Amino acid sequence: MAPAILSRVFESLGTDTTTVTTNNDRESQYWEESTGSDLANMLSEADYPEEVRRRFLTFYRDYVCPQLGSRPDEDSAKSCIGRDGDCFEYSYEFKGSTKHPGVRFGVDLSSLRPVDIATPLSIAKSQKVIDEIGKRTLGFDDTWYRALVQSFVYAHLPKEQQNTLIEQAGHQTPLVVGFDIHTRLTAPDALPIMAKVYFPPCFAAAEKDITRWDAVRSAIRQLPQIESYPNILASLKMIEDYLSTKPKDFQHGVRYLATDFLVPGKTRLKIYMRIPGPSFEDTWDFYTLSGRIRGLEEDKEKFRDLIDFMKGTENATETQVQTQPSLTKARVKTTTIYFSLSAENPGPAPKIGFFPANSAKNDEVIARGLDMWLSKYGWYDGGKTLLERLDNVL
């Protein structure tokens, strides 16, 4: 008989999880005790209610961990998410307050450990998790998700063609599943999450011999009933007009097209694009689409300060974002703009993702700088600092 193992993650919630395990259970438990522990600590530091933590972590243990395969080693295939090939990315989200941050993460559920030799671009493991989310999430709708699978997933091709696309793309991640973890339960069996899916356009671009931007805009224009949402098309046109004035390199920097699991009239489409230029002014020009997106001027100095504070150079006289590496390398982390397109807004809503680890001395400098920035602009309103939270989580 296999040994009985007690989960430390669920023990912390007062839940008895002593179970008899098989080899597959032990592989799953590795992920529970590593990534599950990280998420449990993050939820605890963010003061999530105990029942919310238990509901989410039980789902994570029972449905996500079993899809992650064996414990990674130096011979494991690499994900496109982390710069080291890791298949996870975590974050805290602050919305005007530091007291109760939200917890978010993305996970690559591709068949990486071991690789699916017959169908290396399979999304079967991701689909198992998405199907469970669909059963237990209020308002779930996968209409646009299914359409985007048709545009971006090439698991139907012969394995030789799939391997050629993987070689051209530099990775084998057909999609990433993202989770925003809510702070309250909305129904007895409902999951406290908002799920989304991120599609890299690399495989579609390689298969059709087009730019990644062309792959994304073609996929959007082919969505079911997209003509019923003129604001989305107007937002897309605004980005198209901007890119038409720029060198072709700009079109190669598209990282993801993401969608929520909501009905088309409520879902958002988010386009993630790397910045070709290295300076802050290059970033600002992209963020505003050369002034096409109005009403953002008050953000400019805030962003300039954010970059300098996180680098530990708040007294610097010239802000450089960072040296820009290749726009198409899978595991490079670099400054990224994302544009949110929705039926409610006539123009794209932009956000910037900075990656200060490319220039800051260490993580402590980054966290301390972010705390300074949050205080300067009135976001810090009590509770632990980000540095304290990270010290307790990591």
Side-chain angles (χ1 to χ4, degrees), residues 86-106:
D86 192 5
C87 59
F88 278 86
E89 193 166 76
Y90 316 113
S91 65
Y92 279 124
E93 180 180 34
F94 298 98
K95 290 187 174 181
S97 170
T98 58
K99 285 183 179 178
H100 302 292
V103 175
R104 307 183 301 175
F105 74 99

Side-chain angles (χ1 to χ4, degrees), residues 61-304:
R61 177 195 63 191
D62 294 345
Y63 293 96
V64 178
C65 291
Q67 307 308 321
L68 287 165
S70 60
R71 180 174 184 155
D73 57 35
E74 60 182 15
D75 295 323
S76 298
K78 305 294 186 183
S79 171
C80 78
I81 295 184
R83 66 173 70 205
D84 59 354
D86 192 5
C87 59
F88 278 86
E89 193 166 76
Y90 316 113
S91 65
Y92 279 124
E93 180 180 34
F94 298 98
K95 290 187 174 181
S97 170
T98 58
K99 285 183 179 178
H100 302 292
V103 175
R104 307 183 301 175
F105 74 99
V107 58
D108 178 1
L109 294 166
S110 308
S111 297
L112 302 176
R113 295 164 303 275
V115 170
D116 184 335
I117 301 298
T119 316
L121 291 177
S122 171
I123 62 169
K125 292 187 174 185
S126 299
Q127 193 62 54
K128 287 181 180 179
V129 174
I130 291 168
D131 288 344
E132 182 63 19
I133 293 171
K135 297 173 187 175
R136 300 175 57 190
T137 303
L138 299 178
F140 180 92
D141 188 287
D142 65 353
T143 301
W144 279 5
Y145 160 74
R146 287 184 284 107
L148 293 177
V149 166
Q150 296 300 310
S151 294
F152 292 118
V153 177
Y154 285 85
H156 61 283
L157 295 180
K159 66 178 181 181
E160 293 80 9
Q161 290 180 247
Q162 292 183 53
N163 285 323
T164 297
L165 293 179
I166 290 168
E167 183 178 357
Q168 291 176 291
H171 67 91
Q172 64 179 77
T173 301
L175 60 83
V176 174
V177 184
F179 298 84
D180 292 357
I181 306 175
H182 298 321
T183 57
R184 62 187 182 90
L185 302 174
T186 56
D189 192 46
L191 293 171
I193 60 172
M194 167 67 78
K196 60 196 76 172
V197 176
Y198 302 77
F199 293 92
C202 324
F203 307 111
E207 199 274 337
K208 297 176 182 178
D209 194 24
I210 57 178
T211 67
R212 296 178 182 188
W213 168 247
D214 284 334
V216 163
R217 66 176 176 174
S218 174
I220 292 174
R221 293 188 182 281
Q222 293 179 50
L223 288 170
Q225 300 182 325
I226 188 63
E227 66 279 356
S228 300
Y229 307 102
N231 280 344
I232 291 178
L233 294 175
S235 296
L236 180 65
K237 181 65 163 56
M238 192 179 295
I239 303 172
E240 288 176 326
D241 290 345
Y242 172 79
L243 292 176
S244 71
T245 69
K246 299 298 180 182
K248 195 86 168 185
D249 283 353
F250 279 66
Q251 298 189 27
H252 294 297
V254 183
R255 179 71 164 149
Y256 298 112
L257 174 63
T259 187
D260 307 312
F261 287 103
L262 297 171
V263 294
K266 294 184 178 180
T267 194
R268 297 169 298 164
L269 297 170
K270 294 191 285 187
I271 305 171
Y272 291 75
M273 306 184 74
R274 289 168 167 169
I275 309 297
S279 75
F280 178 80
E281 291 302 327
D282 292 327
T283 300
W284 185 255
D285 181 74
F286 209 148
Y287 177 73
T288 65
L289 298 179
S290 292
R292 290 173 174 81
I293 305 176
R294 302 186 183 279
L296 302 175
E297 282 304 313
E298 68 177 24
D299 293 340
K300 189 170 186 178
E301 292 309 310
K302 293 179 183 178
F303 286 151
R304 196 190 300 273

